[in-house]
């Protein structure tokens, strides 16, 4: 089995301005306002890893997303190895497929397949 890259992360915060300033000052990340609640960063241009600060009142969190070839199969494997599928695979309007999982110790993680290029 080949290694699965982590290529996206999301930081949810009820104080997004403060969190954005923190990561900008700590790591030198710059952010772009996006439509909706997201402020996107290329994480300093580091090897294709991107992320966002999300304005939310649903609690503060940090989560990483691993890029996988098949989200549904990854969900099946997660359950078989002691994980839990919290959000079944969903396809966004642009064709990105994603799911939210919980590992055996309770940590959140996401998996996604980018939209087909074409």
């Amino acid at each position: 089995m080949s290694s699965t890259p982590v290529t996206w992360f999301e930081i949810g915060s009820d104080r997004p301005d403060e969190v954005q300033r923190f990561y900008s000052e700590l790591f030198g990340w710059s952010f772009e306002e996006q439509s909706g609640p997201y402020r996107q960063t290329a994480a300093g241009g580091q090897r294709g890893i991107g992320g966002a600060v999300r304005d939310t009142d649903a609690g503060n969190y940090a989560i990483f997303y691993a890029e996988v070839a098949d989200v549904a199969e990854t969900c099946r494997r997660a359950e078989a190895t002691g994980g839990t599928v919290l959000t079944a695979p969903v396809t966004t309007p642009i064709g990105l497929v994603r799911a939210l999982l919980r590992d055996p110790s309770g940590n959140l993680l996401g998996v996604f397949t980018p939209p087909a290029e074409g």
Side-chain angles (χ1 to χ4, degrees):
M1 177 189 310
S2 64
S3 178
T4 300
V6 172
T7 58
W8 184 259
F9 63 88
E10 182 177 297
I11 300 165
S13 176
D14 56 0
R15 299 182 316 213
D17 292 332
E18 186 177 339
V19 169
Q20 178 178 321
R21 187 179 72 252
F22 172 81
Y23 286 102
S24 293
E25 292 176 6
L26 183 64
F27 297 134
W29 295 351
S30 60
F31 290 83
E32 277 183 33
E33 295 290 327
Q34 301 290 309
S35 62
Y38 289 96
R39 301 158 186 222
Q40 192 166 335
T41 181
Q46 298 173 8
R47 299 176 14 175
I49 298 173
V53 169
R54 182 173 191 260
D55 185 358
T56 181
D57 58 3
N60 297 312
Y61 62 89
I63 185 171
F64 70 87
Y65 287 81
E67 186 175 332
V68 298
D70 185 328
V71 172
E73 175 60 23
T74 302
C75 288
R76 285 188 288 278
R77 288 194 350 254
E79 288 180 323
T81 57
T84 305
V85 175
L86 299 176
T87 305
V90 175
T91 303
T92 69
I94 64 167
L96 181 137
V97 180
R98 67 174 182 222
L100 187 61
L101 312 173
R102 191 175 300 278
D103 73 17
S105 67
N107 296 304
L108 293 175
L109 67 138
V111 293
F112 77 100
T113 301
E117 293 186 26

